[in-house]
Amino acid sequence: MAGGDEAAALGAACGTGDLAAMQAVLSASADPAMLMLTRCEKGWTPLTRATLHRHVDAMHLLLEHPAADTAAMLMQTCSFGHTALLLAAANGHVDATSLLLNHPSADPAAMLAFDSTHGMSALIAAAHFAADFSPYDNPIRPFAPLLLLLRRIAVELQPSDAKQAHMTRVVEALSDQ
């Protein structure tokens, strides 16, 4: 399979959560580490695509693959400027957010401080979407546990950046409701 075909196949498998297909593509690849950092034709990395589609098992497979450069994968953005953590937090994926922040290769301070090309960090995204959340719009987005997780981590980090400190206060206020 050529490089572009491998990236497309891995991206499609991540999008559907097909673990067997993901494993087959990674096993057949001459450079699985590079493949896991390659964006598909639509601009998604394998990790951001699995995160976007709520496939925590697929995320776990990518992060635990022996060839994975997990530190790079955790900080890598899709072509839209979003990390997997930002996507997980913005969409209320508590399990995905927890997996990403608690991974042994994770740097939670860097991950929470990261601003996408749109000026939105994971903490800001979670607070923003939680504030706009109405249970009548989409009752499956459980923001309360996500906000508690992000608040705990943000408090542990004691952010020095004024924007992050402000968003920590916003998250605390929202999670107290």
Side-chain angles (χ1 to χ4, degrees), residues 58-142:
M59 294 168 61
H60 186 76
L61 187 150
L62 291 167
L63 292 169
E64 298 305 319
H65 191 279
D69 181 351
T70 53
M73 288 169 59
L74 290 167
M75 293 302 296
Q76 186 182 23
T77 62
C78 65
S79 62
F80 306 106
H82 306 311
T83 62
L85 178 62
L86 188 139
L87 292 168
N91 289 294
H93 301 181
V94 178
D95 292 342
T97 301
S98 182
L99 172 67
L100 295 166
L101 285 171
N102 292 313
H103 192 276
S105 297
D107 179 353
M111 292 168 70
L112 286 174
F114 178 81
D115 280 339
S116 73
T117 55
H118 305 292
M120 189 178 294
S121 68
L123 191 57
I124 293 168
H128 172 75
F129 284 97
D132 290 343
F133 174 68
S134 164
Y136 301 104
D137 294 336
N138 186 350
I140 64 166
R141 289 178 16 181

Side-chain angles (χ1 to χ4, degrees), residues 28-53:
S29 176
D31 191 354
M34 181 55 85
L35 182 59
M36 286 185 275
L37 294 171
T38 301
R39 292 181 177 135
C40 71
E41 72 285 350
K42 294 183 180 179
W44 298 103
T45 68
L47 186 59
T48 58
R49 191 144 182 204
T51 303
L52 181 67
H53 293 284

